Amino acid sequence: MKNYFALSFLLLFLFTGNVKGQKVDYQIVPLPKEIKEGTTGNTPFVLMQSTRIVYPKHNKQMQRNAEFLSEYVKDVTGYSLKIGTRKIKSPAISLTLGLQSSNPEAYSINISEAGIQIQGASEAGVFYGIQALRKSMPIGKYAQIEFPSVEINDYPEFGYRGALLDISRHFFTKEEVKEYIDMMALHNMNRFHWHLTDDQGWRIEIKKYPELTSIGSQRKESQNGYYENHERILKFDGIPHGGFFTQDDIKEVVAYAAERYITIIPEIDLPGHMVSALASYPELGCTGGPYNVWTHWGISEDVLCAGNEKTYQFLTDVFDEIMELFPSTYIHIGGDECPKTRWAQCPKCQAKIKAEGIKSDDKHTKEEYLQSYVMKYMSDYLSEHGRKIIGWDEILEGEAAPGATIMSWRGEAGGIEAARLGHDVIMVPNNYLYLDYYQSKDYESEPYYAIGGYNPVDKIYNYNPLPASLNETEKAHIIGVQANLWTEYIKDFKQVEYMILPRWGAVAEIQWTGGAKDYPAFLKRLDKFVKLYQAKGYTYAKHAFQ
Ligand code: ACM
Ligand code: ZN
């Protein structure tokens, strides 16, 4: 009797495993707002080699969406699904527009025996429906794949779902940046904050200032490891480091991102973090140099001279080319970590302070107000061209330009202050969302150096970007959430992957899902999600699963 049971159990297992096919699981990352199984009947939809993906005629974006879905299905199952604008044979996966929603990125998925319908409030909404379907599918080669009948209704919590990559401290190639963008799409992110310039390298071609790249994109060597006892007794690797994106490269990457519904927000960090520009054009600094592209990390006292008219000419010229290349309404102009040491000593800067009638008060020095002047100058220039600025929270020191969006990185304090002042805010607090921080307290056992800190998956997952101290009107100013990857200690792309994965899973749940937190349930979904990382060949950290 016992053996009979064991045998029938084995047969049943073989039967369900091989013949009936593998089942889809809708518990994905980020979790959709609503998943209702069984409301559209009890019979599953069965995906086969012959299933066709159908999209509306004369819509290039929807055609590209159909191609993405076909590529993703091939990635995970090996099936090659054909795409077309006519439904020649049911059942099919149909991609449609016209979902009624106040959120342009909303989508719904309806699955019954008859087929799969993904409907979006826009093409972007359809794209996120496709991401959801892709993540639901089992990975591997199966005779058939069963989709239990379901109705999914979903939309993002935040319209701005960002990720930063710093390509100044270490350079990453066009192919690597595209891979980063693909990973963003997998995590439903839609704003790529591209940190293009800093003390250690200028990484974008500017036609009017060729030396920014011929000189500013190269450094002699790089700091190797930490400052010893925080003294500048540094070790260096002796290896020259450089690289930059031509304007053609930039256009290619902008288009690549746009196909994936990702807007690239370029950052030209000013007036500090500019040593690579000063090394190229020393007349832009207060002392006139000479300057060298930095080989170590930290904050430079050499910054753009705010009293030199050439600086303003330089900045408007650079941003003219930036605006040509990047269609984004938001342009990031930095504003962080700008010491006022040089300005306090510089006759030109002091003359500018006088000429503009800038005065200190009990809150801020006149040099801090001089920085506000520079930021406002650039903000006015960009807004004359229909753009809006984002700045780091330091731009609140003095007076932030009207209409500036504040990126709160030194914790949440800047974001809270900015929201109260009526500025829009993007939350990127370093104590939660800096992914150059360690994921383990056991630094010694980590495969790579990190900059310090400790931001593990559970801490990130439990972060609430809407501070309890804000009222509802103020909370409405928190328009987005972003995770930053600074690359002082990140030398290659495998390490990039290790630092962001699977922490981006937790970031995606903050950005997209919002709402109540259930860490054990999330961890289960994450455990399934990393199978897709494995299939894609991504390196990821395993601490969360230990
Ligand atoms: C920053 O991390 N300095 C914005
Ligand atoms: Zn100066």
Side-chain angles (χ1 to χ4, degrees):
M1 203 56 184
K2 237 181 175 169
N3 280 346
Y4 173 77
F5 268 123
L7 183 66
S8 53
F9 200 76
L10 180 69
L11 285 171
L12 186 71
F13 175 78
L14 289 173
F15 192 70
T16 47
N18 279 353
V19 181
K20 276 191 78 190
Q22 194 72 14
K23 262 206 181 123
V24 161
D25 174 3
Y26 303 118
Q27 294 296 311
I28 57 170
V29 175
L31 184 67
K33 290 273 194 317
E34 186 177 64
I35 305 172
K36 294 190 285 188
E37 282 199 52
T39 55
T40 47
N42 293 319
T43 318
F45 171 77
V46 179
L47 182 81
M48 290 174 296
Q49 288 279 6
S50 58
T51 303
R52 193 178 172 86
I53 302 169
V54 183
Y55 63 92
K57 252 194 267 192
H58 310 305
N59 186 326
K60 278 264 171 348
Q61 284 179 293
M62 290 296 275
Q63 179 181 341
R64 189 69 188 97
N65 275 339
E67 289 163 4
F68 278 128
L69 179 56
S70 180
E71 289 162 24
Y72 296 149
V73 170
K74 187 154 198 308
D75 257 8
V76 291
T77 67
Y79 289 12
S80 294
L81 305 188
K82 291 210 163 54
I83 69 165
T85 54
R86 277 185 314 129
K87 195 166 165 179
I88 46 174
K89 184 165 140 271
S90 78
I93 304 177
S94 52
L95 310 181
T96 62
L97 293 169
L99 181 70
Q100 294 304 306
S101 171
S102 57
N103 192 316
E105 294 176 302
Y107 71 87
S108 69
I109 300 178
N110 280 278
I111 300 179
S112 68
E113 184 180 7
I116 296 181
Q117 189 185 44
I118 300 178
Q119 189 175 34
S122 67
E123 288 84 354
V126 173
F127 184 72
Y128 295 116
I130 288 169
Q131 294 299 332
L133 200 71
R134 160 200 199 184
K135 287 181 253 190
S136 304
M137 303 206 320
I139 294 158
K141 306 261 185 283
Y142 300 102
Q144 57 183 48
I145 297 161
E146 278 183 20
F147 289 74
S149 69
V150 75
E151 192 187 330
I152 296 174
N153 294 300
D154 198 14
Y155 59 89
E157 198 63 22
F158 290 98
Y160 183 115
R161 304 182 300 281
L164 173 146
L165 181 66
D166 165 13
I167 64 161
S168 173
R169 275 54 176 269
H170 280 99
F171 179 69
F172 295 94
T173 65
K174 188 166 66 182
E175 292 318 310
E176 290 166 337
V177 170
K178 286 181 178 175
E179 193 75 54
Y180 197 79
I181 288 168
D182 280 333
M183 289 192 276
M184 286 181 64
L186 179 64
H187 293 80
N188 295 18
M189 294 173 176
N190 64 356
R191 299 287 182 273
F192 175 39
H193 176 169
W194 202 358
H195 189 77
L196 289 161
T197 63
D198 216 303
D199 301 315
Q200 295 83 4
W202 186 283
R203 308 270 177 239
I204 178 170
E205 176 188 27
I206 300 294
K207 303 242 191 227
K208 200 158 180 185
Y209 297 88
E211 279 159 27
L212 286 173
T213 41
S214 66
I215 295 172
S217 76
Q218 304 294 324
R219 65 175 181 253
K220 199 172 82 201
E221 55 187 353
S222 305
Q223 176 179 334
N224 201 8
Y226 295 129
Y227 285 62
E228 268 176 41
N229 304 318
H230 300 274
E231 300 287 331
R232 291 194 176 186
I233 311 163
L234 300 177
K235 287 176 277 195
F236 291 91
D237 62 8
I239 304 167
H241 186 86
F244 67 93
F245 282 67
T246 65
Q247 295 204 349
D248 283 342
D249 292 335
I250 295 280
K251 286 177 198 155
E252 187 182 324
V253 175
V254 166
Y256 188 88
E259 272 195 330
R260 289 149 183 81
Y261 303 92
I262 292 171
T263 303
I264 302 188
I265 298 171
E267 180 187 359
I268 304 295
D269 199 346
L270 67 97
H273 287 283
M274 269 284 175
V275 176
S276 60
L278 298 182
S280 315
Y281 297 95
E283 66 271 26
L284 300 176
C286 291
T287 66
Y291 308 99
N292 292 309
V293 179
W294 265 25
T295 54
H296 61 282
W297 326 129
I299 299 172
S300 168
E301 292 192 335
D302 286 309
V303 303
L304 289 175
C305 176
N308 185 345
E309 286 317 307
K310 277 189 185 160
T311 296
Y312 297 92
Q313 188 64 50
F314 169 77
L315 289 174
T316 51
D317 288 342
V318 166
F319 280 96
D320 282 345
E321 294 191 32
I322 292 292
M323 285 189 282
E324 272 296 311
L325 293 167
F326 296 95
S328 168
T329 304
Y330 285 123
I331 306 280
H332 203 304
I333 62 172
D336 60 322
E337 299 176 325
C338 180
K340 308 298 187 287
T341 334
R342 297 286 182 263
W343 291 0
Q345 303 292 324
C346 171
K348 287 198 206 94
C349 286
Q350 291 304 315
K352 183 78 177 173
I353 286 171
K354 235 191 195 134
E356 297 297 331
I358 295 170
K359 301 216 159 44
S360 60
D361 59 21
D362 52 355
K363 288 205 218 74
H364 300 287
T365 64
K366 55 194 193 312
E367 286 77 18
E368 284 173 330
Y369 284 114
L370 180 59
Q371 178 168 346
S372 301
Y373 172 88
V374 175
M375 302 318 270
K376 182 159 184 310
Y377 184 94
M378 290 318 301
S379 174
D380 288 347
Y381 186 72
L382 293 168
S383 74
E384 279 164 27
H385 293 79
R387 309 301 178 97
K388 284 156 81 168
I389 66 148
I390 302 179
W392 298 110
D393 58 51
E394 283 94 332
I395 72 170
L396 294 163
E397 292 163 3
E399 202 169 36
T405 295
I406 307 297
M407 214 169 240
S408 185
W409 75 276
R410 296 175 301 178
E412 297 173 274
I416 292 169
E417 183 190 344
R420 289 194 174 133
L421 291 169
H423 289 277
D424 282 350
V425 171
I426 296 153
M427 282 295 191
V428 201
N430 58 343
N431 50 331
Y432 291 97
L433 296 174
Y434 268 35
L435 302 187
D436 55 337
Y437 285 22
Y438 280 106
Q439 339 188 32
S440 162
K441 282 185 174 161
D442 179 13
Y443 293 1
E444 299 293 312
S445 304
E446 282 296 288
Y448 306 104
Y449 276 121
I451 204 160
Y454 177 55
N455 286 336
V457 172
D458 61 333
K459 183 181 176 194
I460 295 169
Y461 177 80
N462 285 306
Y463 170 60
N464 179 357
L466 302 175
S469 59
L470 294 182
N471 66 33
E472 293 309 307
T473 314
E474 292 159 350
K475 278 181 186 166
H477 281 295
I478 315 283
I479 60 164
V481 182
Q482 178 171 293
N484 285 356
L485 193 68
W486 303 103
T487 58
E488 285 93 334
Y489 294 91
I490 300 178
K491 296 183 181 180
D492 64 37
F493 201 70
K494 281 282 151 222
Q495 194 182 350
V496 167
E497 293 174 359
Y498 178 83
M499 297 307 273
I500 62 176
L501 304 178
R503 290 192 281 189
W504 270 11
V507 174
E509 293 255 334
I510 303 170
Q511 294 174 328
W512 183 279
T513 310
K517 309 276 188 184
D518 181 347
Y519 188 66
F522 166 71
L523 208 52
K524 247 173 96 179
R525 285 182 281 114
L526 190 67
D527 193 40
K528 184 190 141 206
F529 192 29
V530 300
K531 306 277 190 308
L532 193 50
Y533 295 168
Q534 290 166 12
K536 298 292 294 176
Y538 297 150
T539 301
Y540 65 97
K542 310 221 163 58
H543 313 82
F545 309 107
Q546 279 150 9

